[in-house]
Amino acid sequence: MKKKILTRLGLAVTLSVACLPAQAVVIGLAEYAFNMDGYVSDMTYGDPVPAGVDLSGFDETTGLGTLRFTFGSAGTHYLAAFFDHEIDAATNTYSNETGAASGSPAAGQSWEIDEPGWINGDIFENFSNSMLDGQVGASIYGDTAFPNDVSMSMGWAFALAAGETATIRMDISTAVPTAGFYLTQTDPDSDTSIYLSGSLRIDGYPQVPEPAQLLLLGAGLFLFGLSGARADASAMQGRHRLEFFR
């Protein structure tokens, strides 16, 4: 908790310097962490990037971009990511924001929006315990339906059979997602929002062929059989010719 307080103060100082005299809206990331199968890695405080996590498309300063998580072992799995963004904190503080959820979560998908736990929110605790509550501001003093400090978390529970691979993609952007379930964090003073969305894909082997693939396979087997029959006929004719000349 002491580290969190220091990070909060450090971010505020950084944003203050960055905002003078600039007037553009500043989006910053105070903290982010991953829960992979119950093991929590807090990236803000120097934990190593877990195996299977791709951060190449993610900006750790703004907290915007794309993250990818890959699982390849058979069995049950859980993945959740926690993000504590600040929007224009140096101009209008970080406790004036609201959160919202849009759409319906997919099977196995979980989420939560709440005060990040600097004071009263329970989202980080729920995230760490793999128990996101699917509510906006469920804690007594962290109701983000009213302006407050906002953080977001999204997760999936799923199972893999032998030979299957799961890929989870999370996108954080200032552009509104065109489809699917997503979370929103809004700073009303600057009229700026960020959106968290994601998807889970499971690839398995062997894959069931689609109709078009079956047709191609059948055509290939037919041509192979036809060419084999022609080869047998040619060989038979050759043997007949040999017997004739004898």
Side-chain angles (χ1 to χ4, degrees), residues 65-108:
T66 299
L67 305 97
R68 289 182 172 85
F69 308 85
T70 303
F71 294 79
S73 60
T76 58
H77 295 281
Y78 180 80
L79 177 281
F82 166 84
F83 304 97
D84 181 13
H85 289 83
E86 314 300 353
I87 305 174
D88 244 10
T91 301
N92 51 50
T93 79
Y94 49 77
S95 59
N96 65 325
E97 299 167 6
T98 60
S102 302
S104 300

Side-chain angles (χ1 to χ4, degrees), residues 15-26 88 91:
L15 293 179
S16 297
V17 174
C19 286
L20 295 176
Q23 297 181 359
V25 175
V26 176
D88 244 10
T91 301

Side-chain angles (χ1 to χ4, degrees), residues 102-115:
S102 302
S104 300
Q109 187 175 17
S110 56
W111 63 277
E112 186 171 345
I113 299 174
D114 203 351
E115 198 277 334

Side-chain angles (χ1 to χ4, degrees), residues 20-40:
L20 295 176
Q23 297 181 359
V25 175
V26 176
I27 298 174
L29 186 61
E31 184 178 7
Y32 74 113
F34 307 132
N35 177 339
M36 300 183 72
D37 291 335
Y39 182 82
V40 175

Side-chain angles (χ1 to χ4, degrees), residues 1-69:
M1 185 63 74
K2 290 181 179 178
K3 288 184 178 180
K4 288 188 176 183
I5 294 174
L6 290 175
T7 300
R8 172 75 69 185
L9 294 175
L11 177 68
V13 172
T14 300
L15 293 179
S16 297
V17 174
C19 286
L20 295 176
Q23 297 181 359
V25 175
V26 176
I27 298 174
L29 186 61
E31 184 178 7
Y32 74 113
F34 307 132
N35 177 339
M36 300 183 72
D37 291 335
Y39 182 82
V40 175
S41 299
D42 198 320
M43 309 308 299
T44 309
Y45 301 133
D47 287 348
V49 179
V53 178
D54 180 3
L55 296 177
S56 60
F58 182 69
D59 188 325
E60 296 180 85
T61 300
T62 63
L64 303 178
T66 299
L67 305 97
R68 289 182 172 85
F69 308 85

Side-chain angles (χ1 to χ4, degrees), residues 4 8 29-32 81-86 94-95 97-100 111-118 120-125 127 132-133 135-139 142 144 148-154 183-186 194 196:
K4 288 188 176 183
R8 172 75 69 185
L29 186 61
E31 184 178 7
Y32 74 113
F82 166 84
F83 304 97
D84 181 13
H85 289 83
E86 314 300 353
Y94 49 77
S95 59
E97 299 167 6
T98 60
W111 63 277
E112 186 171 345
I113 299 174
D114 203 351
E115 198 277 334
W118 305 101
N120 298 299
D122 61 3
I123 183 172
F124 195 85
E125 179 181 357
F127 154 81
L132 298 176
D133 63 20
Q135 299 185 63
V136 178
S139 61
T144 53
N148 206 319
D149 188 8
V150 170
S151 62
M152 302 183 289
S153 184
M154 183 176 289
L183 306 180
T184 305
Q185 178 176 340
T186 299
I194 57 176
L196 169 60

